[in-house]
Amino acid sequence: MADLRQEVPYSPPPEDLRVFATVARLASFAAAAQALGSSTAYVSKRLRLLEAGLGTRLLHRTTRRVGITEDGERVYAWAQRILDDLDHLVQDVRATRSQVRGHLRVCSSFGFGRRVVAPLLGELQLAHPDLQVRLELFDRLVDVAGEGFDLDVRVGDEIAGHLIAHPLAANHRVLCAAPAYLARRGLPRTPEDLAQHDCLVIKERDHPFGLWRLQQGELERRVKVTGPLSSNQGEIVVQWAVAGHGLLLRSLWDVGPLLDQGLLQRILPDWTQPANVWAVVPQRLAHAAKVRVAVEHLQQHLPGRLG
């Protein structure tokens, strides 16, 4: 007689997916165990069971590091979506903002993230104790959805059409330099004059290196600038400007106090660069409760931090 029993399809437990996603993100069993509040033995066991159930190896393990396999990359992308959907299900069922919980993954740029975004996220977490917030800072443009982030707090108006962008605060970049530099090299009179000066260039996340786009009303100028000093850290470049090494294009929120103190002086004050602040969200997370609460918190409190 034929065996009428059917093999039950394997369905990965959410906990195993969460363990795997944590290891893949941190590239370390020990770090993942610490983040999950468990032991490395537990993490290893859950991963062995997941790999056995899926019938494939997900990670390359060596004595020094953990790498992700090609199959692991696919599983990681699915795991992120599944875990996010489960978090959203729980949040929607609870339906009250006071009960928002889950993991909120946020990214931003170095200086802005450290000085403005980080304190605001700390306050958000205090208001929602069940929310676990992870902030990562980059000097490059992040693929928000592809890299598993829920929210990118971004300075600059060039945003891909497939993403949802919530306005957080108006902002623009201004040109300035130390009085000592201007006394030594003279005052630029037009945007084109900038090409003849030592310009302190910042490698922005989403801007061509050394190309300054300036606006005066409806007029726009694109000036290719150069100089002996450049960095991907805005705070370093501001220090160089104060020390008299060259001209700087930087957000008013950052250099405003230095202008007030006379350490820097604005040049070409009619020319600025739009650099508004946005909360950028993947389409599939547009209605997630944790994202909605975070965006509303930033919209309410971030403008006051740019004064």
Side-chain angles (χ1 to χ4, degrees):
M1 179 180 295
D3 189 350
L4 300 181
R5 292 175 298 175
Q6 294 183 346
E7 182 180 353
V8 177
Y10 173 70
S11 179
E15 176 62 15
D16 290 359
L17 293 176
R18 193 176 301 280
V19 169
F20 166 66
T22 305
V23 173
R25 186 172 68 249
L26 300 178
S28 166
F29 279 66
Q34 183 176 9
L36 295 166
S38 61
S39 66
T40 54
Y42 175 81
V43 169
S44 297
K45 176 182 178 181
R46 300 320 308 176
L47 284 172
R48 284 197 304 272
L49 291 173
L50 181 62
E51 288 180 326
L54 294 173
T56 188
R57 180 176 291 276
L58 302 177
L59 299 168
H60 296 299
R61 303 167 177 83
T62 69
T63 56
R64 293 188 176 182
R65 65 183 302 274
V66 175
I68 190 167
T69 67
E70 185 176 345
D71 283 344
E73 292 281 2
R74 290 197 294 270
V75 174
Y76 179 70
W78 276 103
Q80 293 286 81
R81 289 193 287 268
I82 292 168
L83 294 171
D84 280 338
D85 288 343
L86 287 173
D87 285 343
H88 302 159
L89 170 64
V90 173
Q91 292 170 26
D92 288 343
V93 169
R94 289 194 169 96
T96 61
R97 297 187 180 191
S98 61
Q99 294 175 319
V100 170
R101 65 181 61 204
H103 292 79
L104 180 71
R105 295 178 293 275
V106 184
C107 60
S108 190
S109 55
F110 282 134
F112 192 75
R114 184 184 68 81
R115 292 176 55 183
V116 178
V117 179
L120 290 171
L121 292 181
E123 295 165 8
L124 172 68
Q125 199 284 323
L126 286 176
H128 300 279
D130 292 329
L131 190 64
Q132 299 181 49
V133 181
R134 180 182 180 88
L135 172 63
E136 297 188 36
L137 305 181
F138 299 92
D139 63 346
R140 60 175 175 82
L141 190 63
V142 174
D143 178 0
V144 186
E147 297 185 48
F149 288 98
D150 305 307
L151 180 65
D152 180 7
V153 184
R154 185 179 302 180
V155 179
D157 296 348
E158 298 179 8
I159 299 171
H162 69 280
L163 299 169
I164 296 174
H166 301 277
L168 298 181
N171 178 58
H172 59 270
R173 297 186 178 103
V174 300
L175 292 158
C176 52
Y181 174 86
L182 297 175
R184 186 172 72 252
R185 295 291 304 276
L187 191 68
R189 301 295 178 182
T190 69
E192 289 71 23
D193 290 345
L194 299 174
Q196 309 305 317
H197 279 264
D198 292 336
C199 294
L200 304 170
V201 182
I202 304 170
K203 179 62 179 75
E204 300 284 356
R205 300 168 75 196
D206 53 350
H207 291 280
F209 184 74
L211 183 64
W212 286 359
R213 179 173 55 85
L214 302 170
Q215 290 185 358
Q216 181 190 62
E218 298 298 319
L219 298 177
E220 180 174 297
R221 295 287 186 273
R222 294 174 181 264
V223 183
K224 181 64 177 177
V225 298
T226 60
L229 294 171
S230 64
S231 176
N232 65 341
Q233 288 272 6
E235 294 170 327
I236 292 174
V237 177
V238 170
Q239 292 174 13
W240 286 336
V242 171
H245 292 294
L247 306 180
L248 177 71
L249 179 65
R250 191 65 175 160
S251 287
L252 189 57
W253 69 265
D254 192 9
V255 298
L258 299 172
L259 293 169
D260 293 339
Q261 298 167 36
L263 297 174
L264 292 176
Q265 176 182 330
R266 282 194 65 172
I267 58 175
L268 301 176
D270 294 333
W271 292 90
T272 62
Q273 183 183 91
N276 298 306
V277 186
W278 303 85
V280 180
V281 181
Q283 288 275 356
R284 66 186 185 84
L285 296 178
H287 303 293
K290 63 182 180 181
V291 172
R292 182 186 68 245
V293 168
V295 170
E296 290 176 354
H297 179 82
L298 292 170
Q299 286 175 328
Q300 181 178 356
H301 299 286
L302 190 146
R305 306 299 172 89
L306 304 185

